[in-house]
Amino acid sequence: MDKILIKSATLVYPGHEKNGQTFDILLEDGVIKAYGEHDSISDDGVAVIDGSNQFLAPGFFDLNANFGEPGLETKETIRSGCAAAMAGGFTGVAIQPNTQPPLHSRSEVSTLINGAKEELVSIYPIGAISKDRSGNDLAELYDMKLAGAAAFSNGNKSIQQAGLMSRALLYCKGFDGLVMAFAEDYSISNQAPMNEGEVSTYLGIKGNPNLAEEIMIARDLALAVYHGAPIHFSTISTSGSVALIREAKQKGIRVTCDVSAHHLVLTDDLVKSFDSHYKVNPPLRTQADIEALKTGLLDGTIDAIVSQHTPQEVEYKRVEFEIAKNGIIALQTVLPLVLRAGLPLVTLIEKLAINPRKILNIPLPRLDVGEMANLVLFNPEEKWIFDAQTNKSKSGNSPFYQSELTGKVTLVINKHKQYKG
């Protein structure tokens, strides 16, 4: 990297002394050399980026993304996943263990970390709670922690055995590990393909009720209280889940949670098209659930927003809705969707950049002279088309493909590397 001067950008960094201020910032080889008022820094011999009407923030951090590697490279490789992440403004990504083999031992965790060393995006593997993600026996949790696992989850397979979840919480408590729970009671949901409600009744499709998520959250909260252990809930989707977690926080229980960006803007009404790109898990819920999720974000009940990036090959999506695989590619569409949801920019940065790092106990990027830059510059009003030319993922399963989106990342800097959008 050469010298870069970003001029007239407005900082969005809650808690920083310059939050909300507009200034110029000089970077050299990815290191912050100076910042000050507009035109206070010489621009001789440097590449100038006009930051007018743009916002500078710490690089986004995703708590829930799926890359295919190892084993499912036809869906996404480390390289293509990192390319999609940086195009979406992310400088850090926590990777779910939904791979083949799963991230269930030191070997897979180390492979993922070593494979991403040269990437702009920092990768944080999430180790599987159970061997083979089978939900029967605990995996090598402490060994994975020593190898660099940032937390532990069973990925998109919810832990059905209360005893196993209990042991995982107790064991992780001993070495300050964090359990990230995906809440779904299969005996209630029957792993149905869409939300249970008026639309599922109208379409004649079996529904996955809110209760399937909420009863599992209630169970895992009780287990966390019993052991005095922290717990994080991934991709909550219902108004009842928000209420349960809000009450738990008010009681002082050590609980955090996140929501996917698409669950803030898409409802189950869209399933009427039978477009398999709207098939996700948890399923798209109702507008009432969306309003509860937004309220939860604003009042602090929900701590973070995630992409839930889930690439799938075309043959798994271009089939009947009921047999299609769950998931959409989402790393590049998080910013436009959160802006569409109408959240304030300060809330956006808090939920996308600050809180995710706090949840995993990762140091926040520092905006000080001499520090390595970890920044994203974005224009919340710039429009762009998400298509084969702009998509950086190896897969194309998105309901927003070929659509015009508002909110574009223009510059990402991390680890002495840069990406220009």
Side-chain angles (χ1 to χ4, degrees):
M1 285 179 61
D2 298 321
K3 290 184 177 181
I4 297 174
L5 179 60
I6 303 172
K7 303 190 73 171
S8 302
T10 301
L11 182 67
V12 185
Y13 196 157
H16 194 278
E17 61 180 3
K18 290 191 175 294
N19 180 45
Q21 296 184 26
T22 299
F23 58 84
D24 298 351
I25 182 168
L26 177 66
L27 309 169
E28 182 176 356
D29 294 326
V31 175
I32 300 172
K33 289 297 181 180
Y35 57 83
E37 296 180 0
H38 179 58
D39 284 338
S40 64
I41 303 174
S42 172
D43 58 6
D44 295 335
V46 302
V48 177
I49 295 176
D50 184 7
S52 302
N53 302 315
Q54 299 198 64
F55 294 87
L56 191 70
F60 302 156
F61 191 105
D62 190 12
L63 285 174
N64 189 321
N66 293 281
F67 291 179
E69 195 169 350
L72 300 172
E73 288 84 358
T74 54
K75 298 179 187 290
E76 196 84 280
T77 63
I78 293 172
R79 174 162 291 184
S80 65
C82 286
M86 65 184 181
F90 293 92
T91 58
V93 177
I95 303 299
Q96 293 288 319
N98 307 323
T99 53
Q100 290 182 359
L103 306 181
H104 63 173
S105 75
R106 172 190 293 266
S107 176
E108 292 82 25
V109 170
S110 298
T111 296
L112 195 60
I113 291 174
N114 291 332
K117 277 185 176 179
E118 301 303 315
E119 301 293 337
L120 177 151
V121 179
S122 299
I123 294 300
Y124 298 84
I126 298 176
I129 291 174
S130 64
K131 294 178 181 178
D132 293 316
R133 297 197 300 128
S134 64
N136 296 318
D137 301 305
L138 284 181
E140 302 169 2
L141 304 183
Y142 187 60
D143 275 356
M144 286 190 283
K145 175 75 170 181
L146 294 177
F152 302 95
S153 167
N154 225 41
N156 58 5
K157 292 185 177 180
S158 181
I159 298 288
Q160 299 302 293
Q161 294 185 24
L164 181 67
M165 178 59 82
S166 177
R167 291 191 294 275
L169 288 164
L170 179 60
Y171 187 53
C172 286
K173 178 185 176 183
F175 58 85
D176 293 325
L178 176 66
V179 169
M180 304 177 80
F182 174 64
E184 180 182 355
D185 187 318
Y186 296 155
S187 67
I188 295 175
S189 74
N190 201 28
Q191 296 181 279
M194 71 170 297
N195 178 57
E196 180 183 271
E198 292 182 9
V199 179
S200 66
T201 302
Y202 170 77
L203 297 175
I205 297 177
K206 290 182 179 179
N208 179 337
N210 288 17
L211 180 65
E213 176 175 303
E214 294 158 10
I215 200 167
M216 194 62 88
I217 285 179
R219 183 202 76 175
D220 289 348
L221 282 171
L223 292 172
V225 170
Y226 180 75
H227 292 299
I231 190 167
H232 177 88
F233 290 103
S234 297
T235 60
I236 69 168
S237 65
T238 76
S239 58
S241 296
V242 176
L244 284 167
I245 294 170
R246 179 182 291 117
E247 181 181 4
K249 287 192 171 188
Q250 290 170 350
K251 291 179 178 178
I253 297 172
R254 298 163 64 192
V255 56
T256 54
C257 66
D258 64 58
V259 61
S260 80
H262 46 269
H263 280 98
L264 298 174
V265 296
L266 304 178
T267 69
D268 61 349
D269 196 59
L270 293 165
V271 178
K272 289 178 180 177
S273 67
F274 291 105
D275 184 344
S276 64
H277 290 122
Y278 292 115
K279 187 180 181 184
V280 293
N281 194 31
L284 300 178
R285 304 291 187 180
T286 67
Q287 188 62 43
D289 291 306
I290 287 179
E291 295 307 317
L293 292 168
K294 289 182 183 178
T295 300
L297 284 165
L298 293 172
D299 69 16
T301 300
I302 301 177
D303 302 273
I305 299 172
V306 301
S307 73
Q308 203 187 23
H309 178 79
T310 308
Q312 300 284 8
E313 299 94 329
V314 64
E315 57 264 32
Y316 292 117
K317 279 294 189 179
R318 197 173 292 170
V319 292
E320 293 86 351
F321 183 87
E322 292 192 54
I323 63 173
K325 294 283 189 180
N326 291 310
I328 64 175
I329 55 170
L331 282 163
Q332 290 180 246
T333 56
V334 169
L335 177 63
L337 294 191
V338 176
L339 290 169
R340 184 186 299 185
L343 296 176
L345 285 181
V346 169
T347 302
L348 185 154
I349 300 305
E350 180 184 40
K351 309 299 182 180
L352 278 180
I354 296 174
N355 286 355
R357 289 182 169 93
K358 288 182 177 179
I359 289 168
L360 294 184
N361 198 27
I362 294 170
L364 298 178
R366 294 177 60 87
L367 187 65
D368 295 312
V369 173
E371 294 288 341
M372 183 180 76
N374 184 338
L375 301 169
V376 58
L377 182 70
F378 64 94
N379 187 334
E381 298 181 356
E382 184 173 348
K383 299 182 184 300
W384 60 288
I385 304 295
F386 186 43
D387 57 16
Q389 184 175 0
T390 55
N391 177 31
K392 305 299 181 183
S393 172
K394 201 169 184 178
S395 298
N397 53 303
S398 171
F400 306 105
Y401 221 54
Q402 308 294 336
S403 298
E404 183 181 74
L405 301 174
T406 303
K408 191 173 189 299
V409 171
T410 56
L411 180 69
V412 182
I413 298 176
N414 186 41
K415 293 165 63 173
H416 306 286
K417 303 176 189 295
Q418 66 169 308
Y419 164 81
K420 290 185 177 180

